Amino acid sequence: MATEAHAAEGATGYIVHHLTPFSVGEGFWSFHLDTLFISAVLGALFIWFFKTVAEKATSDVPGLTQAFVEMIIEFVDQQVKDSFHGKSALISPLALTIFCWVFLWNFMDLFPVDLFSTVGSLMGIEYIRVVPSTDLNATFAMSISVFFLIIFYNLKIKGVFHFGKELLLHPFDSVFLIPFNILLNFVEYLAKPISLALRLFGNLYAGELIFILIALMPWYIQPLLSFPWAVFHILIITLQAFIFMVLTIVYLSMAHEEH
Amino acid sequence: MSINATLIGQMITFTLLVWFTMKYIWPPLITALEERRAKIADGLAAAEKGQEEMERAEKRASEKLKAAKEQSADIINLAQKRANEVVEESKANAKKEGDRMIEAAKAQIEQEIAQVKENLRQEVATLALKAAEQILQKEINKAEHNDIIAKVSSQLGQA
């Protein structure tokens, strides 16, 4: 259900409309209000739900919600224990936050593509893009934060000297190959946040695009296509959240270990 | 599709979420989980201990039962032995008593025989005397013939 401005442009207009963010400001200092607002609401939802359970947490027989939350907690804890062998008060909560928040972002993908744009147009908002993971800003914000943590822990655990030595003399332990090592390490470190962000973004953007394409089909074909795609997407959204979490844990545990 | 200040906003939100999770969500939940784990471990250990205790008690009980059985068998044996003894003793006593009674009866019989003999002797003497009196039909001087009567009577008594 495209707005009238795009209705004239046909299918392309419809697709472009659905993938245009609600943006205010100019140049770099512009804000995607839809991304900011929706991800904040989803974050608040996550915090509210888990906080409610955490407050009433008991070591006796757990209730239904507590059992559910504990299942997630134990799942995350197990992932952290499997790949991270140090002691850190940050990594497990970080992994939990990433998993839940990314999952909720991705979950927005399962709402009908026209639902929010229709509601938005009724409220006078012309553009709205509801899945935060289809916004590079959101995925990069997370992956860059993780990157900062990687650098921070490298410096904290190994110290400036050891970390510097590792950057210069790893993987080839030779003074003559220092420039080559620097180049390799630069690429290696930079690839981490970029691959993290682009993997999540790419998967969800493509998924959303296919939902939009399905929405362009005649109404009697739509359920036949969108239902299997949505079912498949239940796997995708969980898997992407899981991958983001696991890779974060792996990168941080690498930062904790000496070569 | 451009990178802009949204990135910074998202980073702030992310940091806040992580901080909040780290401070208020993760610790109580993981503590509850650890506590429950400890509780379950304790419970299992207690159950195992109880099981062991029960096995020990059962063993002790069976041992006691065995000892009691042995003791009761001993007691029964003893009682049987004692009963046999008592029977034997009373048999012996009865035999002794019987013998004694027979002896007494024999003695009495003999005494009575003697008595009867004495009586018979005297009566025969008297009868003989009377018979002699009548045969003689004469007054006999008792004093004169006392010697002869006594002699006869003693001879009779000896017969």
Side-chain angles (χ1 to χ4, degrees):
Chain A
M1 191 172 292
T3 50
E4 283 159 29
H6 286 288
E9 298 162 32
T12 316
Y14 180 77
I15 294 167
V16 169
H17 174 260
H18 273 280
L19 291 174
T20 309
F22 178 33
S23 183
V24 293
E26 284 299 318
F28 178 76
W29 287 108
S30 57
F31 292 95
H32 295 164
L33 289 187
D34 44 8
T35 301
L36 285 169
F37 177 73
I38 288 168
S39 60
V41 167
L42 293 174
L45 193 71
F46 154 68
I47 290 290
W48 167 78
F49 182 64
F50 274 69
K51 180 85 180 99
T52 327
V53 175
E55 266 169 8
K56 293 187 290 185
T58 164
S59 58
D60 293 328
V61 181
L64 205 62
T65 42
Q66 196 188 334
F68 173 69
V69 165
E70 278 176 5
M71 198 180 74
I72 300 172
I73 295 271
E74 282 202 310
F75 166 71
V76 172
D77 198 43
Q78 193 55 50
Q79 296 304 323
V80 173
K81 275 181 185 154
D82 281 349
S83 38
F84 180 72
H85 303 296
K87 255 182 97 73
S88 169
L90 174 72
I91 289 188
S92 301
L94 176 78
L96 175 71
T97 314
I98 288 176
F99 181 69
C100 292
W101 207 26
V102 172
F103 177 81
L104 288 173
W105 283 358
N106 297 353
F107 190 82
M108 297 304 287
D109 208 11
L110 291 176
F111 286 104
V113 286
D114 282 328
L115 178 67
F116 287 96
S117 54
T118 311
V119 173
S121 67
L122 288 176
M123 283 158 55
I125 299 166
E126 198 184 348
Y127 298 106
I128 186 159
R129 193 170 54 178
V130 290
V131 189
S133 6
T134 56
D135 189 340
L136 271 177
N137 290 300
T139 60
F140 265 109
M142 202 177 254
S143 70
I144 289 171
S145 305
V146 170
F147 179 68
F148 284 157
L149 282 174
I150 293 170
I151 301 297
F152 171 76
Y153 277 114
N154 265 314
L155 290 175
K156 191 187 161 196
I157 303 296
K158 296 169 186 166
V160 181
F161 176 71
H162 270 279
F163 184 45
K165 203 174 125 188
E166 198 181 292
L167 286 180
L168 297 180
L169 296 174
H170 179 85
F172 301 109
D173 193 5
S174 164
V175 185
F176 303 106
L177 288 167
I178 283 178
F180 188 58
N181 284 339
I182 288 176
L183 187 70
L184 274 181
N185 284 318
F186 182 74
V187 171
E188 190 194 326
Y189 274 90
L190 215 60
K192 285 172 183 173
I194 291 174
S195 66
L196 267 183
L198 288 184
R199 182 183 302 112
L200 178 60
F201 167 78
N203 271 282
L204 270 294
Y205 193 84
E208 181 74 350
L209 194 64
I210 287 175
F211 274 123
I212 295 167
L213 289 175
I214 291 170
L216 282 168
M217 307 240 174
W219 64 268
Y220 48 88
I221 298 177
Q222 280 186 31
L224 287 176
L225 295 169
S226 62
F227 178 72
W229 185 243
V231 171
F232 179 58
H233 235 65
I234 295 173
L235 172 70
I236 297 285
I237 62 178
T238 321
L239 190 66
Q240 287 305 319
F242 175 71
I243 287 171
F244 205 114
M245 175 188 83
V246 167
L247 286 178
T248 303
I249 297 167
V250 169
Y251 292 157
L252 287 178
S253 68
M254 276 163 71
H256 278 75
E257 278 158 18
E258 304 260 356
H259 281 285
Chain B
M1 181 93 24
S2 51
I3 296 293
N4 56 32
T6 311
L7 183 86
I8 297 161
Q10 286 293 102
M11 279 171 83
I12 293 166
T13 315
F14 182 53
T15 311
L16 284 176
L17 285 178
V18 171
W19 172 78
F20 197 89
T21 310
M22 197 170 115
K23 198 138 172 81
Y24 298 108
I25 289 174
W26 188 266
L29 285 170
I30 204 78
T31 312
L33 280 173
E34 293 295 333
E35 267 172 24
R36 184 165 326 119
R37 195 164 294 152
K39 267 187 191 174
I40 290 170
D42 286 354
L44 286 176
E48 205 164 311
K49 217 173 124 193
Q51 187 89 16
E52 258 171 38
E53 197 86 0
M54 203 183 75
E55 267 164 27
R56 259 210 308 276
E58 248 168 32
K59 212 168 139 193
R60 221 162 38 218
S62 71
E63 267 168 20
K64 276 206 173 144
L65 201 65
K66 208 172 140 197
K69 268 186 187 159
E70 271 169 18
Q71 211 171 354
S72 65
D74 281 357
I75 288 170
I76 287 168
N77 278 348
L78 211 67
Q80 247 160 11
K81 216 165 121 191
R82 181 86 193 101
N84 285 347
E85 271 173 19
V86 166
V87 168
E88 290 298 318
E89 210 175 278
S90 51
K91 264 188 194 165
N93 276 352
K95 197 165 154 51
K96 224 155 67 181
E97 182 72 14
D99 287 354
R100 200 179 58 76
M101 275 165 86
I102 290 167
E103 289 294 315
K106 272 183 182 167
Q108 203 172 0
I109 288 166
E110 253 161 50
Q111 203 182 350
E112 264 169 27
I113 289 171
Q115 180 101 41
V116 168
K117 269 184 181 170
E118 179 69 16
N119 285 352
L120 208 59
R121 194 172 53 101
Q122 272 173 13
E123 223 157 291
V124 168
T126 318
L127 274 174
L129 210 56
K130 275 190 178 161
E133 261 176 28
Q134 285 188 357
I135 294 166
L136 291 175
Q137 282 186 345
K138 265 187 172 179
E139 225 172 278
I140 297 168
N141 193 355
K142 263 191 181 174
E144 251 176 57
H145 302 290
N146 241 5
D147 282 350
I148 301 165
I149 295 164
K151 223 170 166 181
V152 172
S153 86
S154 83
Q155 271 170 353
L156 284 169
Q158 274 166 358

